[in-house]
Each structure stands twice: as structure tokens, then as C-alpha cells.
Amino acid sequence: MREVGIGIAGFGTVGGGVLSILQRHARDIESRLGARIVVRRVAIRDPDKARPVELDPALLTTRFEDLLEDPSIEVVVELVGGVEQAFRLVQGALERGKHVVTANKALLAARGDDIFKLALEKGVDVYFEGAVCGGVPVIRTLREALASDRITALHGIVNGTTNYILTAMAEKGEPLSTALAEAQRLGYAEADPTLDVSGGDAAQKLCVLAQLAFGVRVKPADVLTEGILALTPEDFAWGEEFGYALKLLAIARRVSTPGQPDAVEARVHPAFIPAGSLLAGVRGAMNAVLLHSEALGPSMLIGQGAGAMPTGSAVVSDIIDLTRNVVASSPGRVPLPHGDARVGLLPHGEVRAGYYLRFSVKDEPGVLARVASTLAQRNISIAAVQQREQGTAGAAVPLVIVTHDAREADMSAAMAEIAGFGITVAPTRLIRIEAI
Amino acid sequence: MREVGIGIAGFGTVGGGVLSILQRHARDIESRLGARIVVRRVAIRDPDKARPVELDPALLTTRFEDLLEDPSIEVVVELVGGVEQAFRLVQGALERGKHVVTANKALLAARGDDIFKLALEKGVDVYFEGAVCGGVPVIRTLREALASDRITALHGIVNGTTNYILTAMAEKGEPLSTALAEAQRLGYAEADPTLDVSGGDAAQKLCVLAQLAFGVRVKPADVLTEGILALTPEDFAWGEEFGYALKLLAIARRVSTPGQPDAVEARVHPAFIPAGSLLAGVRGAMNAVLLHSEALGPSMLIGQGAGAMPTGSAVVSDIIDLTRNVVASSPGRVPLPHGDARVGLLPHGEVRAGYYLRFSVKDEPGVLARVASTLAQRNISIAAVQQREQGTAGAAVPLVIVTHDAREADMSAAMAEIAGFGITVAPTRLIRIEAI
């Protein structure tokens, strides 16, 4: 039986998942493949660290070179994480004509272009299903299933940590600090959750998805990114009144303006969505990607976004796919992501969305009038208003305004102006609304 | 540029969708493929019928032979429907070494084995994403994405017509007749809806899915099949009280018994599912498939199940995939579905599920006792009971019992026995409960 040798760099959570799946399902995989996947070397940082999976110690090495220089290794699986070190490994593999599987979204977001360009030169493949939403086959769907279609919009819950936190806040009315602590206790959140709660992790994933969906090159720094730290139970309560659920969404959308080239907006921020929508039903640490495309209309993929087995399974399905290409000697069968020169990035100021605005205003005459007229001057039209009477005169009252779609630039200008009036006693809360 | 010739048999709704997608996206597809897909012939039944898509009349023919005998046609796309005629076409194509794309679930359910066997002999491919849940890439996911995993259960909403009807009954409290008439008016249901409302269409799709998921060969006649015609608004109302949504589910599950080979249960019937579950949120004509697998855990695909563009798009993605195999000369890259000798079909009597039982009983002493003791004798344990007091003495009263999981055979026996008591004044309603 034809053997395909692979080298795995990184033996942490995902690496352990990959190796245990390869071991447990070896027989099924062989019968499906008509070929045998053989792990030749596993590169690790710390030889003394205990490993979750049994492995012939002779396979272990601390030197990437042992993978790169082994001619019997045709596929290198990069699971070391980070950017620089991982890039050197992937670059080395590609230069030697080896195919690459990576689950490293940070690497793809930062150096994807260089990697895909080099792979194209060398005529080898790069697969990366594990890099975005572990158990959700969104990469494969974008690269293959939708090859016949034209995607118009992508809305994703792509970070399980924040979705777990927001689900707890919504269902238990907890403040963020409580929900975060619980998520950390249960292992859904890191000791340092910054990358997750800031939206940075979601922005990296969005860069990978947006290039596949729209052929647009986006760097995390180009993504309009807002985290969840400012969200309060009060926002959830108001959302419920208006029939909204509150989720951290990664959004990419094609904006067509007559006479101009298409532009793509890319943003990550908390968003109110209709409580009855499919995305609103995605609870806890689950991930989901909702796609809108011309032929299919709406379609959605849901699954576990992280963890040894879900992500490990995605990596193994890539290894199997690559092995098929190796056996059939059909590399480049599915073209690598490429930039579409026709598509640019929409300036953040031009993004249009509905807005939920929660002002804390002094309870005095004319306040609503000044806010409303300022919005009107910026062509921001109001869909709903609620003002709560407070018991004590002169105390601050909440004023909540929901607007129709408006230009981001107009909204920022209006907010700056209103802040200058001195009628608000606390920072105004602004949450975008997505009518999906 | 390399050209791959295709012949399309059938120019109805789906055929029109396929041709318009191929025309509209020709440029994108070429750039993605590095090859050109050329439609060489289109076989139609009635030359005089008006077509939704512009097409060079010279391409049209009424003879399948013109597709089969054209050496420049490498891929035959079967969209004629039905079993016998379609089988002859597919058989003819495979025998001549042509690859086949089909969107014909009835054909696959009835003759899939023969087709896959012949394709294997001839070393050609058969793709069929369009055959099940049009716009939902479930075939690709089962054949490829989950190649690394082991599926334990599959729950699908695979018939848009019945899901549209059940959604209307649930949300408007309508009787089935009203919802069905509305579905027919809007084109969601055929003039003769038998195949949909009987569960027959879902059973055909389940056969295709079960073979892919579990390697088990199932014919529609082997599927425990129950339609939706007996459902009443009363059942929805009771379900709501118990926190259930009511859906027509296609279910296949692997049942492992120590010391015995795995068996697969295959059934299509209305089922109560938790109102908060993901499947419960799938409304209207949408389709969804929920998979449980060892590594991924739960994952779900949602999309439009039917229609020219969704199904057409699935067919075109198959054509693109096949074209990749042709260009890379890597047929058989993804193995065809094959039977797994280790897996058999579970006898219907052995299927275990929870049950909702709605009796209409005479309002007289001892009735509940007799029903309860009969269930107990069959090891059917009761989870909840509700009996409604009726105004008029002696009148029939509804007695609703929810059971824990029980053997189908035990339940049938208990129902037969109870029917013999002469304490029920109307047929007892039985709806299975799936705790997903």
C-alpha cells in the first residue's frame, strides 16, 4: 500500500488530538484512502514534557530540520503557533516542495500572501481547515462547495470564548467579570483573555475568511475591531426589549456601488441581531458562520470552534485531502486563495449599519430635541426611542435610541458633537445592529 | 485553456439553474479552475417547450445517445429525474467511461449500489451533492470533511415542504389542511404532495445519507417511515406545554451492543425535540442536517433544500469538482460510497425512543391505572402524565403520557393491548421524542 510520510511540528493540545485521531481511525482512513499515512517525525520544544498520546520516542525531535530534511516526509503539519517561528518552518517546507497543513490563523492573517505565493511557485498545496473555527468545515465550503457561487456577505460567531461569555450574560444576567471568571474556571478562556475579548482573535479569522470569500487581502489592523469588555447586563436587557440577541460578530460584506469597483467591509464588534435568527440560537462555545450567496441564498455551518478533537479532526481531514492529492499526484487541485484585484477594502467611515445608542442624560428639558436634531443633521434617521423617567429629579436618565442604517462616519461625527453638549453624564454606549 | 465538455440531460427547473450559473459565473469558474467547462449538448424531452435560459438551439437534442456517443463529452449531468430512464442514461455514461453528476435521490436510493459498483469498475466518478438538501453541502461534508471522524448519529430536516407546513402549524396554530393549501399556493408543495407529506422523499434522502455516514445499505422500504398527515394543532399545543418543537426528522444512528456488530437504525417520522435545540430553530422551507461524530461532537449544516439556484449551485460545484479531477486526471480521488460489511440495519422493533402518547379515554375510574400498568408490564417507564378534566361527565378526556426511552416493539405491543381495553374513544396519537 502506498505510504505518505508526514511530519508534525507541535505536540500540544491540537497535536495530541491529531495523533490520537490518526491512531484511532488508522484502519478506516486507510480503507477510505487506499493509502497509509505514516507519521515520520514529531517536532517538540520540551522533550521532558508529558504527552497525552503514546508515541514511539524515536519519532520525537526538537529540531525542525529533522522534518524539513527528511525526504520521506511529503507533508509538514504546522501546529507550533505564533508567526515568526511558524513562518520559517512553513517556508522551509514549501521551499523543499513539501505540502503544508497549518492550523495557525495568526500566521495566515499575517503572512498568508507570502505563503500562498511561495506554494504556487513550488507547485505544492497549503491546507488550513483547522485555522478557523476548528470543527466547522467553513474553509472547505468556501474553497470548494461555493466555487460555483458568488458570496455577498459573511457573518460569523468565530470565537467560542466570547460567545460563551455573552451567552452566560444573556441567560443569567451576569456582569462580564463573573461570566469571564466562570469561562476561565471551565477552561473556555485563557488566564490572559485579551486576544479573545478584544476581538483580535476573531479579526485574524475574519482576514482568512474574507480572502477566501471575496478575494480581498485584509490584515487584522485593517479590520474595524471592537471587543466585548464594555458590554453590561443593561445592554442585554435593552436588547431583549427591542427583540435582539447580542453576539460578537465577524462580518465581511461585498458592497457594490454602480460605476465603482466592489468593496468589502471587514469588521468585528458586538452586534444586536434579531432574537429569532439562526445565529442568535448559537449558544455557549459553539461557532457558526452564516453565508449569503447569490445562488444558495443563506446557508450556515455550526460546530465546535476549538479543542483538541474538533480542531484535530479538521487538521486530519486536511492531511487526508493532501494525501489524496499526493497519491493522485494532483497538487494545486483546489487553487490557493488569491487576491482579486477588482476588490478593495471599504473605508470604515463608509460602513453602514443600524445603531443602538444608550445615552445617560441629565433629566432636563430639550435634551432629546438636541440629540435628535444632531442625528437628523447627519442624515441619521431614528427607528425607535425610549426614555425612562427617573424617580429623583435632576438625576441622570437613560435615553435609548435605535436608528436605521447610517454611515459610520456620520455616526462618529454626531457622537462627538453630542458629547460636546455637556448633556450626558456618562459615556454613550453604541452597539451596531445587523438585521440578519 | 483546457476544455472539459459536459452534456446535460434535463432542462427543467434545476437544469435551468445549472445553465444560468455556468453562464453567469463562467469567468470566475475559469479563473478558479484554470479550465473551461463547455456545455456540448443538452438533452430535452419537448423541443417546443419554452426555456428559462438562453441557449444555442443547436445544443438541444431529444436523444440521450447524442450525449453518450459524443467523445468530447467527459461528464454527463443527469437531471431527468425518475429511476428507470435516468438509470439507463447513467449506466450508458459510466460504461463509456464518462463521469456522472446526478441530483436524483430516487435513483441513488433505488440503484445507488449498481451505479457505484459500475463506476468503480470503469474508474470514473459519480458526484451527487444536488441529490440531497440542494444547497446544503452535506454530501461533501460526509464524503470529505468527516473522512477523519466517526459519525455516531444523523438527524436531518431534509424535506422543505413538510418543514414549511409544520412551521406554519406551530406558529399560526393552523390545521394541516390549511398549511398545506398555503404551501401549494406558494409553490412549496406539489399539487400531489404525497411523496413529501408521507415522508417518502425524506426516506429516499436518508438512504443516501445513511450509506455515506455509516456505510450501511438501506432501501426506502427498509426505513421506518411515518408522515405528517395525522398531526393536529392539539399535538403542537401539548408539545409546547412540555417544551418541545415538532419536526419531521430523518434519523440514522449507530447502535453499538457489546459483543455484537454495530447496527444502524434508519427512520423518518414526526418527532418532538427540545424547543431550544438548534434543529428547532430551522424554520420554513429550510433544510438542516445535525451530525454527531466522535471527534467533532455536534455539528450542523443549514441551507435551502430545493429550488433552481440552490440545487443548481450544488450540481455546478460537483461539475467543478469533477472537472478538477479530469484536469488533474485523478478520478476516484474521493472513494465512492461503499457498504461496510460490519454494519447491519437495526430491526425496527429494537429502535429505542421516548414517546408522547395522547389517549382519548372515557372519563371513568381506573383508566389511568390500566394504561399505566400495561406500560409498566412492558418496561415502559413514564416521565410525565397530564389528564384534563372535562366539563361534561362521561365525555372523553385527553390523557397525555410522556415516556422515557422504550423499545419500539414493547410500545407497539402495549398500544395494541390498550386498544383492546375499549377504554379509548379515538385512536391514540403516538409521537416519538428525540432528546437532541
Side-chain angles (χ1 to χ4, degrees):
Chain A
M1 182 180 279
R2 169 81 150 91
E3 290 192 346
V4 174
I6 70 172
I8 300 176
F11 193 173
T13 311
V14 175
V18 169
L19 284 159
S20 67
I21 292 170
L22 284 175
Q23 288 171 6
R24 194 189 315 168
H25 297 272
R27 176 184 162 185
D28 288 353
I29 293 175
E30 272 179 35
S31 76
R32 290 207 192 94
L33 266 176
R36 181 173 296 124
I37 296 168
V38 183
V39 178
R40 306 259 190 227
R41 301 306 295 271
V42 176
I44 55 176
R45 204 178 286 106
D46 172 5
D48 306 324
K49 191 173 158 196
R51 306 295 171 177
V53 184
E54 286 242 345
L55 198 65
D56 172 2
L59 295 181
L60 296 177
T61 171
T62 55
R63 304 176 58 252
F64 287 163
E65 292 69 22
D66 292 338
L67 274 57
L68 298 177
E69 289 157 8
D70 183 339
S72 76
I73 290 180
E74 297 177 83
V75 178
V76 169
V77 182
E78 182 276 309
L79 303 173
V80 295
V83 174
E84 285 323 313
Q85 192 193 21
F87 181 73
R88 278 193 301 279
L89 171 67
V90 167
Q91 185 180 36
L94 296 174
E95 276 165 351
R96 290 169 177 79
K98 299 181 192 294
H99 306 287
V100 168
V101 173
T102 176
N104 188 332
K105 60 186 175 296
L107 173 67
L108 292 173
R111 309 297 301 270
D113 287 353
D114 309 317
I115 291 171
F116 298 137
K117 192 161 154 296
L118 180 57
L120 203 60
E121 280 171 32
K122 300 295 180 175
V124 291
D125 274 326
V126 179
Y127 277 55
F128 47 95
E129 186 66 74
V132 179
C133 304
V136 186
V138 60
I139 302 295
R140 177 184 308 272
T141 300
L142 288 172
R143 289 181 79 183
E144 302 186 41
L146 290 171
S148 57
D149 205 351
R150 188 161 185 277
I151 296 164
T152 52
L154 179 155
H155 291 79
I157 294 173
V158 298
N159 181 273
T161 304
T162 47
N163 200 54
Y164 179 89
I165 292 169
L166 297 183
T167 304
M169 291 179 74
E171 296 179 358
K172 303 180 198 162
E174 291 174 350
L176 187 125
S177 55
T178 311
L180 172 56
E182 175 77 353
Q184 286 170 318
R185 200 178 60 72
L186 295 171
Y188 289 121
E190 314 269 339
D192 174 1
T194 310
L195 188 62
D196 292 318
V197 297
S198 66
D201 170 86
Q204 289 175 348
K205 292 167 178 166
L206 183 63
C207 293
V208 177
L209 294 174
Q211 172 156 34
L212 286 176
F214 304 108
V216 65
R217 294 202 168 80
V218 199
K219 294 258 180 283
D222 304 327
V223 177
L224 169 61
T225 306
E226 228 181 75
I228 66 168
L229 288 178
L231 298 177
T232 67
E234 206 172 348
D235 296 316
F236 285 87
W238 279 105
E240 216 176 322
E241 272 192 36
F242 288 104
Y244 293 129
L246 187 47
K247 296 290 189 183
L248 180 71
L249 294 189
I251 303 170
R253 183 189 279 118
R254 186 193 301 270
V255 180
S256 303
T257 320
Q260 289 179 36
D262 283 0
V264 171
E265 57 181 71
R267 43 194 175 113
V268 169
H269 55 68
F272 279 126
I273 59 178
S277 60
L278 283 168
L279 275 176
V282 178
R283 301 175 57 256
M286 295 293 271
N287 280 197
V289 178
L290 171 67
L291 300 168
H292 283 84
S293 53
E294 285 182 359
L296 282 194
S299 62
M300 184 158 122
L301 307 168
I302 306 177
Q304 297 193 58
M309 298 315 270
T311 306
S313 163
V315 170
V316 174
S317 68
D318 277 351
I319 294 173
I320 289 174
D321 236 1
L322 266 179
T323 304
R324 289 191 177 121
N325 291 356
V326 170
V327 171
S329 54
S330 59
R333 184 177 167 285
V334 178
L336 290 159
H338 59 288
D340 179 341
R342 295 167 295 176
V343 181
L345 197 64
L346 189 75
H348 294 170
E350 297 306 316
V351 171
R352 295 183 66 83
Y355 291 85
Y356 150 98
L357 308 169
R358 178 159 61 82
F359 302 91
S360 295
V361 295
K362 297 180 184 153
D363 190 2
E364 53 190 39
V367 165
L368 177 56
R370 291 189 71 181
V371 171
S373 62
T374 307
L375 294 175
Q377 284 155 21
R378 305 285 180 173
N379 308 307
I380 301 166
S381 114
I382 293 175
V385 180
Q386 284 212 35
Q387 180 155 359
R388 285 278 164 80
E389 196 45 70
Q390 220 68 337
T392 53
V397 294
L399 166 64
V400 173
I401 294 180
V402 172
T403 78
H404 293 293
D405 281 5
R407 265 176 81 243
E408 178 88 15
D410 294 331
M411 183 56 75
S412 317
M415 288 300 100
E417 199 175 329
I418 291 167
F421 292 159
I423 56 175
T424 54
V425 299
T428 299
R429 296 285 307 126
L430 176 153
I431 298 174
R432 295 173 188 78
I433 300 168
E434 286 292 306
I436 46 170
Chain B
M1 182 179 275
R2 169 80 151 93
E3 290 192 347
V4 175
I6 71 172
I8 299 176
F11 193 174
T13 312
V14 176
V18 169
L19 283 160
S20 67
I21 291 170
L22 285 175
Q23 287 170 6
R24 194 190 317 167
H25 298 262
R27 176 184 162 186
D28 288 355
I29 293 174
E30 272 179 33
S31 76
R32 291 205 191 95
L33 267 176
R36 181 174 295 124
I37 296 168
V38 182
V39 179
R40 305 256 191 231
R41 302 308 294 273
V42 176
I44 54 176
R45 205 177 285 105
D46 172 6
D48 306 324
K49 192 172 157 197
R51 307 294 172 177
V53 183
E54 285 246 341
L55 200 65
D56 171 3
L59 294 181
L60 296 177
T61 171
T62 55
R63 304 175 58 252
F64 287 162
E65 291 69 22
D66 293 338
L67 274 59
L68 299 178
E69 288 158 9
D70 182 339
S72 76
I73 291 179
E74 297 176 82
V75 178
V76 169
V77 182
E78 183 276 309
L79 302 174
V80 295
V83 175
E84 287 322 314
Q85 191 193 21
F87 181 73
R88 278 195 300 279
L89 171 66
V90 168
Q91 186 179 35
L94 296 174
E95 276 167 351
R96 290 168 177 78
K98 299 181 192 292
H99 305 286
V100 167
V101 173
T102 176
N104 188 332
K105 60 187 175 296
L107 174 65
L108 292 173
R111 309 297 301 271
D113 287 352
D114 310 319
I115 290 170
F116 298 136
K117 191 161 156 296
L118 180 57
L120 203 61
E121 279 171 31
K122 299 296 180 176
V124 292
D125 274 325
V126 179
Y127 277 56
F128 47 95
E129 186 66 75
V132 180
C133 304
V136 186
V138 61
I139 302 295
R140 176 183 309 272
T141 299
L142 288 173
R143 288 180 79 182
E144 302 186 40
L146 290 171
S148 57
D149 205 350
R150 187 163 185 277
I151 296 164
T152 52
L154 179 155
H155 292 79
I157 294 173
V158 298
N159 180 273
T161 304
T162 47
N163 200 54
Y164 179 90
I165 292 169
L166 297 184
T167 304
M169 291 179 74
E171 296 179 357
K172 304 181 198 164
E174 292 174 351
L176 187 126
S177 55
T178 312
L180 171 56
E182 175 77 352
Q184 287 171 315
R185 201 178 58 72
L186 295 171
Y188 288 122
E190 314 268 338
D192 174 1
T194 310
L195 187 62
D196 292 317
V197 297
S198 67
D201 170 85
Q204 289 175 347
K205 292 167 178 166
L206 184 64
C207 293
V208 177
L209 294 174
Q211 172 155 37
L212 285 176
F214 303 108
V216 64
R217 293 201 170 80
V218 199
K219 293 256 180 284
D222 305 326
V223 178
L224 170 61
T225 305
E226 229 180 73
I228 65 168
L229 288 177
L231 298 177
T232 67
E234 206 173 348
D235 296 315
F236 286 86
W238 278 104
E240 214 176 323
E241 273 194 35
F242 288 105
Y244 293 130
L246 187 47
K247 295 291 189 182
L248 180 71
L249 294 189
I251 302 170
R253 183 190 277 116
R254 184 193 303 270
V255 180
S256 305
T257 320
Q260 290 179 34
D262 284 358
V264 171
E265 58 180 70
R267 42 194 175 113
V268 169
H269 55 69
F272 279 126
I273 58 177
S277 60
L278 283 168
L279 276 176
V282 179
R283 303 174 54 255
M286 294 293 271
N287 281 198
V289 178
L290 171 67
L291 300 168
H292 284 85
S293 54
E294 284 182 359
L296 282 193
S299 61
M300 184 157 123
L301 308 168
I302 307 177
Q304 297 193 58
M309 298 315 270
T311 305
S313 164
V315 170
V316 174
S317 69
D318 277 352
I319 295 172
I320 289 173
D321 235 1
L322 266 179
T323 304
R324 289 193 176 117
N325 291 355
V326 170
V327 171
S329 53
S330 59
R333 183 177 168 283
V334 178
L336 290 159
H338 59 288
D340 179 340
R342 298 167 294 176
V343 181
L345 197 64
L346 189 75
H348 295 168
E350 297 305 315
V351 171
R352 296 183 64 83
Y355 291 85
Y356 151 99
L357 308 169
R358 178 160 60 82
F359 302 91
S360 296
V361 294
K362 297 178 184 155
D363 189 3
E364 54 190 39
V367 165
L368 177 55
R370 291 187 72 181
V371 171
S373 61
T374 308
L375 294 175
Q377 284 156 22
R378 307 284 181 174
N379 309 308
I380 301 166
S381 116
I382 294 175
V385 180
Q386 284 211 36
Q387 179 155 2
R388 287 277 164 79
E389 197 45 71
Q390 220 68 338
T392 53
V397 294
L399 166 64
V400 172
I401 295 180
V402 172
T403 78
H404 293 294
D405 280 5
R407 266 175 81 247
E408 178 88 14
D410 294 331
M411 183 57 74
S412 317
M415 288 300 101
E417 199 175 328
I418 291 167
F421 292 159
I423 55 174
T424 54
V425 298
T428 299
R429 295 284 308 123
L430 176 153
I431 297 174
R432 295 171 188 80
I433 299 168
E434 287 291 307
I436 45 170

